Amino acid sequence: MYVREAIGQSLYDLGVRVAFGVVGSGNFHYTNALVGAGARFVAGRHEGGSAVMADAYARMSDEVAVLSLHQGCGYTNALTGIVEAAKSQSPLLVLTAEATDPKSNFYIDQQSIAVGCGAVALRVRSAETAIADLANAYRVCAEQRRTVVLNIPIDVQDHVLPGSASVTPPAARRAPRPQQAELEQFVTLLAEAERPVFVAGRGARGGSAKQALVELAERSGALLATSAVSRGMFEGEQWCIDVAGGFSTPLAAELITGADLIVGWGCALNMWTMRHGRLIGDDAKVVQVDIDQGAIGRHRPVDRALWAGNAETAADASALLAETNESRAGYRTGDVLERIRTEGRWHQVPFDDVSTADRIDPRSMSAQLNRMLPASRVLSVDSGNFLGYPSMYLDVPDEYGFCFTQAFQSVGRGRATAVGAAIAQPDRLPIAGCGDGGFLMGISELETAVRLKLPLLVIVYNDSKYGAEVHHFGSDVPLDTVTFPDTDIAAIARGYGCDAITVTNLDDLLPLKAWLDQPDRPMVLDAKVVSEDGAWWLVEAFGH
């Protein structure tokens, strides 16, 4: 067996069942060997889109995702997606062929580039170490939740593997329990708090953490919120106030700001989640619980830090409170509950519909779509002035219903995100929210969605501009570089093989009902939206 064949087989033995990428000469053989072993390979139309698909798959499946790339240019095409994954600590294993001869046209310093992108840079060193090197890279992804670039030299691939290939999937990572002294100090803060709020981040998703946090919140009287990337985690809980940060409802912002104790669970408490710190009251205590020591206190000082698992910490804190018979009403009063029921969602917040004869208010359209679409959905969004409308007005069923790949804020990746999310959650309706700029920038992966026959709904908030820049720089400067003639996106989508509708009013959405009855291909909504003012979440974003 050649090294290239052993790599593919060993990936399957490690548990890889889905991989993404674009095949070239350097990654042809090990990709085919992985498929031959029984895995599915999702071929993108561009490496940049494939990288985003793989990242989205990792987020929505909690599996190590695999991205297969050609050496040199194939690798550099994927870098924006790799940066996003690395910033978000996605367990993404990038397998890239590597040209090691400096005379090759494909030669670049791939390892240094990986380090610069924030990823872990590793290499298959020789035929003798190939399978051990692969297993180590997979283990780093799985256990440390890191993005790893594993360089596979072309010449090493052509060697015969000495001996047999044998790998064992890594055991599930065991999170540490909190130290007793730190736990007791935390429980004291919980017992003293009158208005506690829990904010769960991506690090709190999965396993038993959700139920443990719900139980501790009930015992301590805490309200439940999430960061954007964990939106939906407490869906159905009556004391949930949805998202903390730029997408917070006015009620959620008011209640979080009024908290005297904020506990971040696997949550960075960064400027987006805490609105540059404005959501934290002057007298509020802040606690951060995280399995990653480096994350604690990275974005702001905290009063208490617990380096431990979220589920373990919440369960131990509940047990300690039970021993002392401590159970508080906290923030859970009748008045607060009534306000959550009547003001807790964006579609309950009144607004003046500013639709015109030929353009629709994106809030009205998004709220109407929320009523029309099935509850079982997985929503992905691109970046831009529009992104709050789908993020706030479209409900999601749980923490695996919202794929928010926005750590790097790159435009043009929303549709590829939706493809990866759809493959990870095949029993849900996949939805992609895009601006016209992002739709056109990442249009190549529309063909991928058509080829895969995904029942993907693409909502294009089309204002014929890069709205973030237009609204940021204002009307006192020339804006010709960021405004464009109207594009018939519906016609373009039909050319790719999609169904498509042009939307200028709510009645234009009626044909969507027929598609929902039998969604056998993507549907693109070319929504001509009103966009006279900058979104308030971007006003905050540009404050960094």
Side-chain angles (χ1 to χ4, degrees):
M1 180 181 290
Y2 289 100
V3 168
R4 62 200 184 208
E5 298 165 340
I7 287 173
Q9 180 63 55
S10 297
L11 281 171
Y12 188 85
D13 294 342
L14 284 165
V16 175
R17 296 297 179 266
V18 181
F20 302 80
V22 176
V23 171
S25 60
N27 63 328
F28 181 86
H29 293 293
Y30 60 73
T31 302
N32 278 357
L34 175 60
V35 173
R40 177 186 183 184
F41 180 70
V42 179
R45 283 297 194 172
H46 190 279
E47 290 89 351
S50 296
V52 176
M53 292 176 203
D55 181 14
Y57 182 86
R59 295 170 191 246
M60 295 292 103
S61 68
D62 281 341
E63 298 175 13
V64 172
V66 168
L67 173 64
S68 178
L69 301 174
H70 176 70
Q71 67 273 18
C73 52
Y75 173 56
T76 57
N77 274 348
L79 290 183
T80 297
I82 293 171
V83 170
E84 170 66 38
K87 282 181 172 290
S88 300
Q89 291 189 294
S90 291
L92 174 62
L93 177 56
V94 181
L95 302 176
T96 179
E98 182 184 32
T100 55
D101 183 355
K103 296 187 295 296
S104 168
N105 287 340
F106 294 119
Y107 175 79
I108 53 173
D109 188 348
Q110 295 188 176
Q111 282 201 299
S112 294
I113 292 172
V115 172
C117 289
V120 176
L122 299 174
R123 175 179 281 125
V124 171
R125 295 166 293 168
S126 66
E128 289 75 15
T129 66
I131 304 309
D133 292 337
L134 175 68
N136 178 59
Y138 184 92
R139 189 174 300 110
V140 172
C141 284
E143 295 180 355
Q144 299 181 26
R145 313 297 290 182
R146 296 292 303 277
T147 293
V148 175
V149 174
L150 180 65
N151 292 280
I152 308 176
I154 298 170
D155 54 343
V156 174
Q157 292 185 47
D158 293 336
H159 289 184
V160 174
L161 186 78
S164 60
S166 177
V167 291
T168 302
R173 183 183 183 186
R174 297 185 62 180
R177 306 201 83 89
Q179 296 293 320
Q180 187 64 26
E182 294 173 346
L183 181 68
E184 291 174 355
Q185 293 169 351
F186 173 45
V187 168
T188 297
L189 288 176
L190 285 174
E192 294 174 348
E194 297 181 357
R195 298 177 305 283
V197 172
F198 290 176
V199 183
R202 185 180 176 192
R205 299 190 330 162
S208 59
K210 180 194 298 187
Q211 188 57 39
L213 290 177
V214 168
E215 292 174 1
L216 179 59
E218 181 177 357
R219 186 173 293 278
S220 60
L223 302 181
L224 294 162
T226 71
S227 65
V229 294
S230 293
R231 184 176 176 231
M233 182 170 174
F234 300 119
E235 183 68 23
E237 296 293 331
Q238 64 177 349
W239 296 102
C240 171
I241 56 175
D242 207 12
V243 177
F247 301 150
S248 292
T249 61
L251 176 63
E254 175 189 332
L255 294 173
I256 296 170
T257 304
D260 59 358
L261 175 65
I262 294 176
V263 185
W265 300 89
C267 177
L269 299 176
N270 60 26
M271 64 181 183
W272 311 113
T273 305
M274 291 290 108
R275 290 189 176 181
H276 295 271
R278 291 191 298 274
L279 287 186
I280 301 176
D282 293 338
D283 298 325
K285 300 289 187 182
V286 179
V287 175
Q288 194 172 358
V289 183
D290 209 298
I291 196 172
D292 179 4
Q293 277 185 306
I296 297 176
R298 180 183 298 164
H299 293 279
R300 60 156 293 121
V302 296
D303 297 285
R304 288 285 180 271
L306 290 96
W307 174 52
N310 294 280
E312 292 77 6
T313 301
D316 290 354
S318 287
L320 192 54
L321 282 172
E323 289 177 7
T324 59
N325 293 317
E326 287 285 354
S327 185
R328 300 176 59 85
Y331 232 150
R332 299 190 171 199
T333 66
D335 289 343
V336 169
L337 182 59
E338 180 60 24
R339 292 192 67 190
I340 292 174
R341 288 173 175 166
T342 58
E343 306 172 46
R345 298 300 175 105
W346 271 105
H347 57 74
Q348 296 172 312
V349 178
F351 63 88
D352 294 327
D353 191 315
V354 295
S355 300
T356 66
D358 57 357
R359 289 197 172 268
I360 191 169
D361 188 318
R363 298 167 296 181
S364 299
M365 181 187 69
S366 301
Q368 178 68 4
L369 286 171
N370 191 53
R371 292 186 286 266
M372 295 177 67
L373 301 177
S376 180
R377 60 184 73 158
V378 55
L379 170 65
S380 304
V381 293
D382 209 326
S383 189
N385 187 65
F386 77 92
L387 75 87
Y389 301 120
S391 300
M392 298 186 303
Y393 286 91
L394 297 182
D395 296 328
V396 294
D398 55 31
E399 65 270 37
Y400 296 99
F402 187 50
C403 196
F404 191 71
T405 53
Q406 297 301 321
F408 202 32
Q409 293 183 270
S410 176
V411 173
R413 298 174 301 107
R415 193 166 38 263
T417 298
V419 172
I423 293 170
Q425 298 288 336
D427 297 328
R428 303 185 182 195
L429 177 73
I431 306 167
C434 308
D436 54 290
F439 178 87
L440 294 169
M441 190 182 293
I443 199 167
S444 59
E445 302 311 339
L446 191 60
E447 187 279 335
T448 303
V450 171
R451 174 166 31 93
L452 297 177
K453 299 181 180 179
L454 295 178
L456 170 64
L457 176 63
V458 182
I459 310 166
V460 184
Y461 294 79
N462 185 358
D463 60 2
S464 301
K465 65 185 73 168
Y466 288 135
E469 283 67 35
V470 167
H471 298 306
H472 176 56
F473 291 106
S475 58
D476 296 332
V477 295
L479 296 172
D480 295 343
T481 56
V482 288
T483 55
F484 305 92
D486 182 58
T487 301
D488 190 347
I489 284 175
I492 293 173
R494 293 188 193 101
Y496 273 85
C498 301
D499 289 333
I501 302 170
T502 300
V503 179
T504 61
N505 58 66
L506 293 181
D507 288 342
D508 290 336
L509 294 173
L510 294 177
L512 182 62
K513 294 180 179 179
W515 178 82
L516 287 169
D517 290 337
Q518 192 173 3
D520 58 353
R521 68 184 70 187
M523 165 66 84
V524 175
L525 302 183
D526 180 7
K528 311 298 187 180
V529 298
V530 176
S531 179
E532 299 304 322
D533 299 306
W536 62 93
W537 56 86
L538 273 184
V539 172
E540 293 183 348
F542 280 123
H544 66 281

